[in-house]
Amino acid sequence: MASSPTVTIGQLAALTGVNLETIRYYERIALMPEPARTAAGYRAYEDEHRQRLSMIRRARELGFSIDDVRALIGLGEPKPCAEVEPIAAAHLATVRAKIADLRRLETLLGAAVRGCRTGTSQTCPVIEVLGGDPASA
Amino acid sequence: MASSPTVTIGQLAALTGVNLETIRYYERIALMPEPARTAAGYRAYEDEHRQRLSMIRRARELGFSIDDVRALIGLGEPKPCAEVEPIAAAHLATVRAKIADLRRLETLLGAAVRGCRTGTSQTCPVIEVLGGDPASA
DNA sequence: CTTGACCCTGTAGCTGCTACGGGGCGCAGG
DNA sequence: CCTGCGCCCCGTAGCAGCTACAGGGTCAAG
């Protein structure tokens, strides 16, 4: 009973902010269900598709992998907390690990770049960070 | 006048901790120079190769792209600070941006996962984070 | 002389898209 | 009715940065 029961792929892309080609890609990898088609073969999306795609988009923005997304929002009904929580917790752990890694990098790079600017070293401090092992024996 | 003037690709891999196939890949994309060959066609690496590959490895560990690495350690002599510093500074900026992004994720995911564990909500808090927009109009 | 560990080449696969190329459809204007 | 524009269709190739084959050759020990 809505004024616009179905939308085209381009409209869905505009509604959700997901690239049109990406939507087709999601269908190809069975992350999005195949929508009904018009007589001419155009995809006709319902509001359920829009909801699902929005969820996928947010999950991707949160850094979940495609496989994680598949596990989080199965092909049908919403998953129970007991299934969702371990995936989210694992992902959170990898996010934290990445943060820790990046902070190490930040420290090292920051020091090297500062060394460049103060310019007291003979060789470039950035290069020095890379070449800490000139000879083997 | 060293006892082992050249090493095979497998030995170089062991020395540097870089995967053997990755070394060949670096040669293919001209990041590593083509080494001399034995009569049988085996690659024969000198210590210079080992040094260069170690530098590449450290640069990659610091998150520099292959193109950045190419710019940092050209095919010949070490680059001057003036060339190196902008690349390192730009990379540092992207590292900081990634950290900021990941911290946002950490906050959101952390709150959701905690919500799961305290379990007061009807629907899973993780799913709630994903589905904040049930209907369009 | 055989066995096994190494080496060679080239190509296909991975993730998650994105961008073609070469065609159909739908609707508005002339 | 026809044209033209914008959208849609499909399939495939490309991006980074490896990694993993398949199907061979080589070398040194036993």
Side-chain angles (χ1 to χ4, degrees):
Chain A
M1 288 48 173
S3 60
S4 171
T6 71
V7 292
T8 68
I9 193 171
Q11 290 166 330
L12 183 64
L15 279 172
T16 56
V18 176
N19 187 305
L20 185 149
E21 313 256 28
T22 303
I23 298 173
R24 281 205 282 253
Y25 168 69
Y26 285 165
E27 183 181 322
R28 242 190 347 268
I29 64 171
L31 183 57
M32 283 290 286
E34 295 186 19
R37 299 283 186 135
T38 67
Y42 286 24
R43 289 170 181 82
Y45 291 100
E46 320 259 341
D47 197 63
E48 293 166 20
H49 293 102
R50 207 215 75 241
Q51 281 177 54
R52 183 182 173 88
L53 187 53
S54 292
M55 288 184 76
I56 292 171
R57 186 190 174 197
R58 271 180 225 112
R60 297 286 303 128
E61 284 172 354
L62 285 174
F64 286 104
S65 72
I66 297 281
D67 275 359
D68 278 353
V69 175
R70 243 190 272 272
L72 289 176
I73 49 174
L75 290 154
E77 289 310 292
K79 297 279 180 173
C81 225
E83 248 173 277
V84 166
E85 190 270 347
I87 296 166
H91 179 50
L92 178 56
T94 75
V95 166
R96 284 183 172 144
K98 277 186 192 160
I99 290 172
D101 274 9
L102 288 173
R103 276 217 267 252
R104 260 194 325 102
L105 300 196
E106 191 199 2
T107 304
L108 289 168
L109 284 170
V113 169
R114 268 195 308 282
C116 274
R117 308 222 221 252
T118 55
T120 51
S121 170
Q122 186 75 2
T123 62
C124 176
V126 176
I127 300 294
E128 262 175 51
V129 172
L130 301 183
D133 181 17
S136 70
Chain B
M1 284 71 169
S3 60
S4 170
T6 71
V7 292
T8 68
I9 193 169
Q11 291 167 329
L12 183 64
L15 278 171
T16 57
V18 176
N19 186 305
L20 185 148
E21 312 256 27
T22 304
I23 298 173
R24 283 205 281 253
Y25 168 69
Y26 286 165
E27 184 181 323
R28 236 184 1 261
I29 64 171
L31 183 57
M32 283 291 285
E34 294 186 21
R37 299 286 185 133
T38 67
Y42 285 24
R43 289 171 181 82
Y45 291 100
E46 320 259 340
D47 196 65
E48 294 166 20
H49 292 102
R50 207 216 76 239
Q51 281 176 54
R52 184 183 173 86
L53 187 53
S54 292
M55 287 184 76
I56 292 170
R57 185 190 176 199
R58 271 181 223 110
R60 297 287 303 129
E61 283 172 355
L62 285 174
F64 286 105
S65 72
I66 298 281
D67 276 359
D68 278 353
V69 176
R70 243 190 272 271
L72 288 177
I73 48 173
L75 290 153
E77 291 309 292
K79 297 278 181 175
C81 225
E83 249 174 275
V84 166
E85 190 270 345
I87 296 166
H91 179 49
L92 178 55
T94 74
V95 166
R96 285 184 173 144
K98 276 186 193 161
I99 290 172
D101 273 8
L102 288 173
R103 276 216 268 250
R104 260 195 325 103
L105 300 196
E106 191 200 2
T107 304
L108 289 168
L109 283 170
V113 169
R114 268 194 308 281
C116 274
R117 308 222 220 251
T118 55
T120 52
S121 171
Q122 186 74 3
T123 61
C124 175
V126 176
I127 300 294
E128 262 174 51
V129 171
L130 302 182
D133 179 17
S136 68

